[in-house]
Amino acid sequence: MRTLSAYVHIPFCASRCGYCDFNTYTAAELQRDGTSITSATYPDRVIAEVNWLRHANATDDRALSTVFFGGGTPTLIDSKELVRILHSLKSAYGFTDDAEITTEANPDSVSRQDLEILRAGGFTRISFGHQSSAKNVLALLERTHTPGKTWEAVSDARSAGFEHVSVDLIYGSPGETDADLAETLDQVSAADIDHVSAYSLIVEPGTRLAARVARGEIPNPSDDVAAHRYELIDEKLRSLEMTWYEVSNWSKPNGECRHNIAYWKNQDWLGIGPGAHAHANGTRSWNLKHPAAWAAKVDEGVSAIADSEVLTQMDVNHEDIMLGLRLREGLSLSVLGEAGLDQARLAVTEGLLEPNSFAEGKAVLTFQGRLLADGLVARLWA
Ligand code: SF4
C-alpha cells in the first residue's frame, strides 16, 4: 500500500532573499495586496483545511507516515501554534508509530525555547537554511542570518532532543571561492548534524538576483564551477560518513529525509496551505497560490484546490525516470522504453551509470553521472 504524507506550507518570510521565487510573502507584501492573512490568523485556516480534507477523504484510513512544514519560514509562526496545527493533523489522520515530523527553520527565526516546544509537541526533525558560512555569499543571497547563528540553533535543537538535524547549503554563487566553501564545510563537519542538502545556485526569472545578472552587476553562476564545488562537497561529506542517497542529499545512516523519499518514490501526500501540491491515487492537484485566494475558499468551507490532473501512464513513467534516476538506489530498467534502454547502455560505456548495477537491472549514477543527471534524464526519456 502507498504511504500517506502531509506537506503544510507556511507562506511567510521576514524578508525576501534575492534569489528566492518560492510562494512566500513578507508582511508588507501581504498588506500591499490588501489581505488580512497574517502569521497570527493563519493557523486557524490551516486547521480548517486539515479538517475539510479529512471530511472530503473520509474513506482513506491511512495514518500519516511523514509530515513536513515548509515555506516560507514555518518558524515565523508561534511554535505553540505550529504544534496546534500538528495535533490537528494527528487527530484527523493519526500518525504511524515511527512518523517523521519535520519543520524547516531559519536559524535567526527560532529560539531555544521554541525548539523545546516544537520537540515536546512532536516534531522529530528540523532543517535549517544555512546556505553558506561566507559573509560575502550570504550578502549576495540577501540572507539575514550570521553564519554562527546556524550552529547555535543546531546545538539548541540537539539539546531540545531533535533526533535528526539537517542543514541546507547553496554552492556556486558568483563571488564564492573554494576557500569560502571549505570554510562552510569545516563548520558543517564540526556541527552535530546528520543530514545535508546542497543545491547549486539557480538564477530564477523574476527574482532580484536575475535582475542584477541581467544588468551585468554580477555574472551568471558557472556550471563548471558548480561541478567542481559539488565534487568538494561530496568529498568532504563522505569523510564525515555522510553518503549521498539523492543527487543533492547526503545523510548519516538512518538520517535520510523520509518525507522527501516519499515524494521521489511517488507515494501519496496531502498538500495544505496556499500553492501546496498534493498527489493521491494517480491524481496531482494544487491549491490556489495566493494566501488571500486560498483563505477565502477555506473560510467558505469549500475546496481550495486551483486545478488537478490525472496522471497518464506516460506521466508516471516520466516522473519515475526523473526522480528515480537521482536516487542512489537507482531506477529499475524496466520503466525504460527501447530507445531509453539504448541510451542507458551508452551511458554505461560513457561512465555515467554503474555497470554492475546495470547488469542487475538498475540504472545507478556514477559520480560523473550525478554531475550530468539532468541531461541523462532527458536521454533516458527519449
Ligand atoms: S527564507 Fe527561504 S523561503 Fe524565505 S525568502 Fe529566503 S529563501 Fe525564500
Side-chain angles (χ1 to χ4, degrees), residues 13 15-17 19-20 22 24 71-73 106 143:
C13 281
S15 61
R16 183 176 282 274
C17 307
Y19 61 99
C20 178
F22 294 165
T24 188
T73 306
N106 270 348
R143 299 288 304 194

Coordinates of all heavy atoms in Angstrom, one line a residue, residues 13 15-17 19-20 22 24 71-73 106 143, ligand 1:
C13 N 7.7 35.1 5.2 CA 9.2 35.3 5.5 C 9.3 36.8 6.0 O 8.6 37.7 5.7 CB 10.0 35.2 4.2 SG 10.2 33.4 3.8
S15 N 11.9 38.7 5.3 CA 12.2 39.5 4.2 C 12.5 38.5 3.0 O 12.6 37.3 3.3 CB 13.5 40.3 4.4 OG 14.6 39.4 4.7
R16 N 12.5 39.0 1.8 CA 12.6 38.1 0.7 C 14.1 38.0 0.2 O 14.7 39.0 -0.1 CB 11.8 38.5 -0.5 CG 11.9 37.5 -1.7 CD 10.9 37.8 -2.8 NE 9.6 37.4 -2.5 CZ 9.1 36.2 -2.7 NH1 9.8 35.2 -3.2 NH2 7.8 35.9 -2.5
C17 N 14.7 36.8 0.2 CA 16.0 36.7 -0.2 C 16.1 36.9 -1.7 O 15.1 36.5 -2.5 CB 16.6 35.3 0.1 SG 16.4 34.8 1.8
Y19 N 17.4 35.6 -4.3 CA 17.4 34.5 -5.3 C 16.1 33.7 -5.2 O 15.9 32.8 -6.0 CB 18.5 33.5 -5.0 CG 18.5 32.9 -3.7 CD1 18.0 31.6 -3.5 CD2 18.9 33.5 -2.5 CE1 17.9 31.0 -2.3 CE2 18.9 32.9 -1.3 CZ 18.3 31.7 -1.2 OH 18.3 31.1 0.1
C20 N 15.2 34.1 -4.3 CA 14.0 33.2 -4.0 C 12.8 33.5 -4.8 O 12.3 34.6 -4.9 CB 13.7 33.3 -2.5 SG 12.3 32.3 -2.0
F22 N 10.1 31.3 -4.3 CA 9.0 30.5 -3.6 C 7.8 31.3 -3.4 O 7.8 32.5 -3.4 CB 9.6 30.0 -2.3 CG 10.7 29.0 -2.4 CD1 11.5 28.7 -1.3 CD2 11.1 28.4 -3.6 CE1 12.6 27.8 -1.4 CE2 12.1 27.6 -3.7 CZ 12.9 27.3 -2.6
T24 N 6.0 32.7 -1.1 CA 6.1 33.3 0.2 C 6.0 34.8 0.2 O 6.3 35.4 -0.9 CB 7.5 32.8 0.9 OG1 7.5 33.2 2.3 CG2 8.7 33.4 0.2
G71 N 8.3 26.2 3.7 CA 7.8 27.5 3.4 C 8.6 28.1 2.3 O 9.1 27.5 1.4
G72 N 8.7 29.5 2.4 CA 8.5 30.3 3.6 C 9.4 29.9 4.8 O 10.3 29.2 4.7
T73 N 9.0 30.5 5.9 CA 9.7 30.3 7.1 C 8.6 29.8 8.2 O 8.0 30.6 8.8 CB 10.3 31.6 7.6 OG1 11.1 32.1 6.6 CG2 11.2 31.3 8.8
N106 N 14.5 29.0 9.8 CA 15.7 29.9 9.5 C 16.4 30.0 10.8 O 15.8 30.2 11.9 CB 15.2 31.3 9.0 CG 15.1 31.3 7.5 OD1 15.6 30.4 6.9 ND2 14.5 32.4 7.0
R143 N 20.6 36.8 2.6 CA 20.2 36.1 3.7 C 20.4 37.0 5.0 O 21.3 37.8 5.0 CB 21.0 34.8 3.9 CG 20.9 33.8 2.8 CD 19.6 33.2 2.7 NE 19.2 32.5 3.9 CZ 18.2 31.6 4.0 NH1 17.5 31.3 2.9 NH2 17.9 31.0 5.1
Ligands
SF4_1 S1 14.0 32.5 3.8 FE1 13.7 30.8 2.3 S2 11.6 31.0 1.6 FE2 12.1 32.9 2.7 S3 12.7 34.3 1.1 FE3 14.6 33.4 1.9 S4 14.9 31.6 0.5 FE4 12.8 32.3 0.2

